[in-house]
Amino acid sequence: MALIRQSNWYKILNGALLANIEIDKLGTRWYASHKKVDWDKLRPMIKQRIEKRARGYPIRSMIPVAEEILQARSIVIHGVSALLKMLPVVACKFCPEVHVGEAGHLIRTCFGHRRCNKNQVHKWISASLNDILVPVETFHLDDMVQDVIKHQQRFDFERVPAVVELCSQAGASLHNLDLQSSNCMADSIEGLALSGPDSLSTNDLRTIGNRTLRAWEALRQGVEKLLLVYPAKVCKYCSEVHVGPSGHKARLCGVFKYQNFRGNHFWEKAGVDDLVPPKIVWYRRPQDPPALLHEDRNYYGHAPAVVDLCTKAGAEPPLKYMCMMKVQGLRGPPSEKVSG
């Protein structure tokens, strides 16, 4: 009896659904709607709603947070540039790998200049500020709700650091130094950080490391707070970032697999790591060999480059990074095997 009732209900529901389905001459079906959307009337309504929503920005309570972010960013840039003159840091010539130490590690993770050769030994050179603080730039908008930037307009807008653009839309007052990229700032403060190679003692180095590390944490926490209120987009397939309610239309995506889409970006919500990349590096502990070996790479830890640099200067790392710095394998560190 239950099966008969179930079959009757299935016929009734199936007939009701088929009543709203029309089949064209080619045999494909489509769901007919009784009301057609008049986009000429709907577009002004959507635009008016977006403009009304923008009247609440910038939020006054978030303006001090944006000001603190710009101040912390300046402290981090000055601190890292000062530590780079006192502590040895090397970078690979053919890939983005960075190592804090006199001699680079021997872990074969280099993929070459054009990604032709994999699992190669790195070729180390002296590192710069951009190797530690990865620059992330975006288009500078005059208004948060301005029209979407088209591909033909990509040269009409200035490129500024993404963190600075986020603080600008949050209501922070910008200076000429904030609008510059980290590379330009490194050149401008080269003579201001240190007066000589031996001008810092151990206590001064530790003080700079602690101050830089606190500013780094304040920078990331502040950006995380602003991203809860202000929208930011990142491309799914490349590192392009756009600060605003909708991404731009500049066809700059360089992933060859998706060139059928004419270089258009695939936007999704951005996070803190997209605007402030941590740049994870291999962390060398006191019991590890001077040059980390490829065979024992499963036993070494990791840490952000700024944290590793400040730790080498004598700063105390936060507790949340301790698990990354510890050994990653199941067995103990192979320091005794290497030393023997």
Side-chain angles (χ1 to χ4, degrees):
M1 192 68 180
L3 295 175
I4 295 175
R5 291 179 180 177
Q6 185 177 1
S7 61
N8 292 334
W9 277 108
Y10 174 76
K11 293 178 181 179
I12 295 173
L13 292 176
N14 193 17
L17 291 175
L18 291 176
N20 294 327
I21 298 176
E22 297 182 5
I23 301 177
D24 58 4
K25 297 180 181 180
L26 297 178
T28 59
R29 65 182 185 178
W30 53 279
Y31 291 87
S33 58
H34 300 286
K35 296 181 180 180
K36 294 184 178 180
V37 179
D38 190 358
W39 290 103
D40 294 336
K41 295 182 180 179
L42 191 59
R43 285 194 189 95
M45 295 172 60
I46 296 175
K47 188 175 181 180
Q48 185 179 5
R49 185 174 180 180
I50 293 175
E51 291 177 355
K52 289 183 179 180
R53 183 184 65 179
R55 293 177 183 175
Y57 292 97
I59 301 175
R60 295 183 179 180
S61 60
M62 301 301 293
I63 294 179
V65 178
E67 296 286 350
E68 293 176 359
I69 290 175
L70 293 179
Q71 184 178 3
R73 176 177 176 270
S74 178
I75 294 175
V76 169
I77 293 176
H78 283 77
V80 171
S81 61
L83 293 178
L84 283 176
K85 292 188 176 183
M86 299 299 297
L87 300 177
V89 181
V90 292
C92 183
K93 184 179 180 180
F94 303 112
C95 72
E97 186 76 14
V98 176
H99 183 72
V100 180
E102 295 183 0
H105 59 74
L106 301 178
I107 303 175
R108 298 189 296 270
T109 55
C110 184
F111 47 76
H113 180 63
R114 296 188 177 183
R115 297 179 180 268
C116 298
N117 300 323
K118 297 182 179 180
N119 301 327
Q120 299 295 321
V121 180
H122 297 278
K123 184 176 181 180
W124 301 106
I125 58 176
S126 299
S128 62
L129 181 62
N130 287 344
D131 296 323
I132 303 296
L133 302 176
V134 181
V136 179
E137 295 184 346
T138 184
F139 287 109
H140 179 55
L141 306 181
D142 298 331
D143 190 3
M144 181 179 176
V145 294
Q146 71 178 33
D147 296 337
V148 179
I149 300 175
K150 299 181 180 180
H151 182 71
Q152 297 81 3
Q153 301 174 338
R154 63 189 184 277
F155 299 114
D156 299 337
F157 294 87
E158 185 182 2
R159 300 280 291 185
V160 299
V163 176
V164 177
E165 177 62 21
L166 181 63
C167 296
S168 174
Q169 296 186 13
S173 58
L174 302 181
H175 306 283
N176 294 330
L177 193 61
D178 296 330
L179 293 175
Q180 298 176 358
S181 62
S182 58
N183 191 13
C184 297
M185 293 188 67
D187 297 336
S188 62
I189 64 176
E190 184 177 359
L192 299 177
L194 293 174
S195 59
D198 301 328
S199 59
L200 290 179
S201 62
T202 305
N203 294 331
D204 296 336
L205 204 63
R206 186 183 299 109
T207 302
I208 295 177
N210 288 322
R211 185 184 179 186
T212 305
L213 193 55
R214 288 194 301 267
W216 170 259
E217 292 299 316
L219 172 63
R220 290 181 57 86
Q221 292 176 4
V223 171
E224 184 178 4
K225 293 178 182 178
L226 288 185
L227 289 179
L228 296 175
V229 182
Y230 293 90
K233 307 292 182 180
V234 64
C235 183
K236 185 178 180 180
Y237 302 114
C238 69
S239 58
E240 180 69 15
V241 174
H242 181 79
V243 181
S246 60
H248 59 77
K249 298 296 182 180
R251 297 188 294 270
L252 304 174
C253 189
V255 181
F256 298 102
K257 185 178 179 180
Y258 303 95
Q259 284 298 319
N260 294 331
F261 298 95
R262 300 180 62 187
N264 292 327
H265 295 286
F266 291 77
W267 299 108
E268 61 182 7
K269 186 177 180 180
V272 182
D273 293 342
D274 299 320
L275 275 71
V276 188
K279 190 72 178 213
I280 304 299
V281 298
W282 294 92
Y283 180 76
R284 180 184 175 276
R285 301 159 301 176
Q287 66 269 23
D288 293 331
L292 303 182
L293 303 177
H294 178 75
E295 294 77 10
D296 302 327
R297 62 187 183 277
N298 294 329
Y299 304 102
Y300 304 135
H302 299 82
V306 177
V307 178
D308 192 6
L309 183 63
C310 296
T311 304
K312 295 296 191 299
E316 187 68 23
L319 295 177
K320 64 179 181 179
Y321 296 114
M322 296 303 295
C323 60
M324 298 178 60
M325 296 178 177
K326 290 182 180 179
V327 64
Q328 300 295 319
L330 298 178
R331 297 179 296 174
S335 58
E336 298 179 358
K337 179 181 67 174
V338 175
S339 60

